[in-house]
Amino acid sequence: MTQAMKIAIVDDEQDMRQSISQWLALSGYDTETFGSAEDALKVLGPEYPGIVISDIRMPGMDGMQFLKKLMGNDSALPVIMITGHGDVPMAVEAMRVGAFDFLEKPFNPDRMSDLAKKATGARRLVMDNRALRRELSDGTQLMSKLIGQSPVMERLREDILDLGQADGHVLIDGETGTGKTLVAHALHAVGSRAGKKFVLVSCSAFEEDALAKRLFGPMMPEDAQLPAMEEARGGTLVLEDIEALSETMQARLLSVINEQGTPAETRLVAISNLQEAGRTSEDALRSDLFYRIAALRITVPPLRMRGEDILTLFTRLSEQFAEEYGCETPQVTAQEAAQLLQAPWPGNVRQLINLAERAVLQSRRGAGTISSLLMNDHEDMQPVMTTEGKPLKEYVEAFERMLIDNTMRRHRGSIASVMDELCLPRRTLNEKMAKYGLQRSDYL
């Protein structure tokens, strides 16, 4: 969930502090006040989840000194300076130092609210981007997103950990929507290059001349970024849709790879989407380039091969969307669980995410079923499912595991509550939890 933004108000005049705080509180902001810059600096660290409104003229450390301290700690922290009449030159200097904006006394409270809205919006974006960068550099967090206990997912996590420690280039292939870009992030995060640059370029998003410039340059003085090969130097360069490269671009990329030598200064991770098209990346790439980038290879499994992981994923996604929309998580019936397990899932995890969100929105309205959504997604799906050669016992066990898992999660590990809801004796519940690898400690 998005973190609530605070507003720190710093002014040596108590009446001014209180009036600003009261006005902003009426506008829905969470405020805190400080009588001096020194007191405020004890609280306002580099990750302060909000903005600062400060008077420019204060005893002790004045507003300009305070601003410089804040900018030294976190140059992205929005600071709105309050100036007296005639202090405009000082306000201009404050803007040069890094202030977000300034208010000249006497100021219009609505103008202050508008500035606070803009500043908190900017701060929220900075904080969200920082959180995302931390997440994408944290191998543990990324690996935890690769949910599932199926053999294919266990193997995928092992492959990521193994290849993440290697220096060679990697080819990641698999169907659309399986999470190949997430795997590329994880490979970078668990390896020795984790603290270095991670640059991603979609080869299918550019015309050839624009792609050549993006990858290899030359860049003009007005261009905001370096060529990707230069930008990613020492880190990881990910090329999505590698099969979209023309013969000319493939030859140029191969030349750059050869120039790097071994071990490569910049690791190349190529992502291919050709599996479902009946072709392979080997068909689409010149053989010398293919064998350079495919020495290490990861194939991300399609969702339909992940068995009970489908139910686990659907449950987690439904819970997240239910929390986001402020409603109850939709309950899955035995028939719907069987349908989820047997659906073809051509869109893979991306399709499952969409289905979970629609199921939550539909449940919030009190209309429709998960079965109806599945029928809409897969027109050839029959309302009464067949086992298609899979033993009925596997479907029953998958549903049973999901039901116990959901109930334990809902009751936060209360065995007595779970026994009561599922009408199970203690011994039977313990046996089934042991059978399905469920531990009470995971729900507390």
Side-chain angles (χ1 to χ4, degrees), residues 249-301:
M249 289 291 289
Q250 290 183 38
R252 192 167 178 184
L253 178 61
L254 178 64
S255 176
V256 172
I257 291 174
N258 288 335
E259 288 172 4
Q260 287 197 93
T262 305
E265 181 180 17
T266 302
R267 186 179 208 183
L268 179 67
V269 176
I271 296 178
S272 172
N273 281 309
L274 281 177
Q275 273 200 348
E276 63 266 38
R279 300 173 64 214
T280 66
S281 47
E282 188 171 2
D283 298 326
L285 301 176
R286 48 186 289 166
S287 59
D288 45 3
L289 176 61
F290 174 78
Y291 289 115
R292 286 303 303 270
I293 64 176
L296 303 175
R297 190 170 183 176
I298 291 179
T299 298
V300 185

Side-chain angles (χ1 to χ4, degrees), residues 75-335:
S75 61
L77 176 65
V79 181
I80 299 170
M81 304 301 294
I82 299 175
T83 67
H85 181 67
D87 281 340
V88 173
M90 189 178 292
V92 172
E93 174 64 12
M95 295 288 286
R96 190 191 66 78
V97 171
F100 184 83
D101 212 325
F102 69 93
L103 288 164
E104 186 178 1
K105 295 177 183 177
F107 52 81
N108 185 331
D110 289 328
R111 159 80 173 150
M112 179 177 62
S113 295
D114 288 342
L115 279 180
K117 182 177 180 181
K118 291 177 183 177
T120 52
R123 184 59 170 174
R124 181 175 289 107
L125 183 61
V126 166
M127 299 297 285
D128 288 348
N129 285 339
R130 286 178 180 175
L132 179 61
R133 283 198 295 273
R134 282 194 296 269
E135 184 172 317
L136 293 181
S137 66
D138 185 336
T140 304
Q141 284 197 41
L142 278 169
M143 292 296 279
S144 71
K145 288 181 177 292
L146 297 167
I147 295 170
Q149 302 303 317
S150 60
V152 292
M153 287 305 291
E154 294 280 9
R155 172 66 183 274
L156 176 63
R157 287 191 289 268
E158 290 172 2
D159 286 347
I160 290 171
L161 290 171
D162 288 344
L163 301 192
Q165 302 303 312
D167 281 319
H169 306 305
V170 182
L171 174 65
I172 301 174
D173 57 18
E175 297 178 10
T176 296
T178 49
K180 297 184 291 296
T181 302
L182 175 62
V183 170
H185 277 291
L187 267 175
H188 177 77
V190 301
S192 59
R193 301 171 192 262
K196 307 289 181 61
K197 276 281 191 176
F198 178 95
V199 179
L200 187 146
V201 177
S202 172
C203 298
S204 61
F206 297 85
E207 296 294 337
E208 182 160 348
D209 289 347
L211 180 60
K213 181 179 178 182
R214 175 69 185 101
L215 290 178
F216 309 113
M219 293 296 188
M220 298 296 103
E222 64 271 16
D223 291 323
Q225 55 191 169
L226 295 169
M229 291 298 301
E230 179 67 25
E231 186 182 355
R233 186 182 296 276
T236 301
L237 173 62
V238 178
L239 297 182
E240 286 186 325
D241 303 314
I242 185 77
E243 65 276 3
L245 291 179
S246 67
E247 283 281 346
T248 302
M249 289 291 289
Q250 290 183 38
R252 192 167 178 184
L253 178 61
L254 178 64
S255 176
V256 172
I257 291 174
N258 288 335
E259 288 172 4
Q260 287 197 93
T262 305
E265 181 180 17
T266 302
R267 186 179 208 183
L268 179 67
V269 176
I271 296 178
S272 172
N273 281 309
L274 281 177
Q275 273 200 348
E276 63 266 38
R279 300 173 64 214
T280 66
S281 47
E282 188 171 2
D283 298 326
L285 301 176
R286 48 186 289 166
S287 59
D288 45 3
L289 176 61
F290 174 78
Y291 289 115
R292 286 303 303 270
I293 64 176
L296 303 175
R297 190 170 183 176
I298 291 179
T299 298
V300 185
L303 184 60
R304 62 182 175 276
M305 291 178 58
R306 293 176 56 180
E308 292 180 30
D309 291 352
I310 297 170
L311 298 181
T312 303
L313 271 170
F314 184 81
T315 298
R316 299 291 185 274
L317 291 166
S318 298
E319 289 173 348
Q320 289 170 14
F321 284 122
E323 182 179 2
E324 180 177 336
Y325 291 113
C327 60
E328 293 295 319
T329 305
Q331 297 302 304
V332 180
T333 67
Q335 178 176 336

Side-chain angles (χ1 to χ4, degrees), residues 38 58 88 151 167-168 176 214 248 278 315 340 362 368 370 380 432 435 437:
E38 291 85 352
M58 296 184 291
V88 173
D167 281 319
T176 296
R214 175 69 185 101
T248 302
T315 298
L340 286 167
Q362 179 178 264
I370 295 170
D380 57 343
K432 290 186 180 296
K435 176 181 178 180

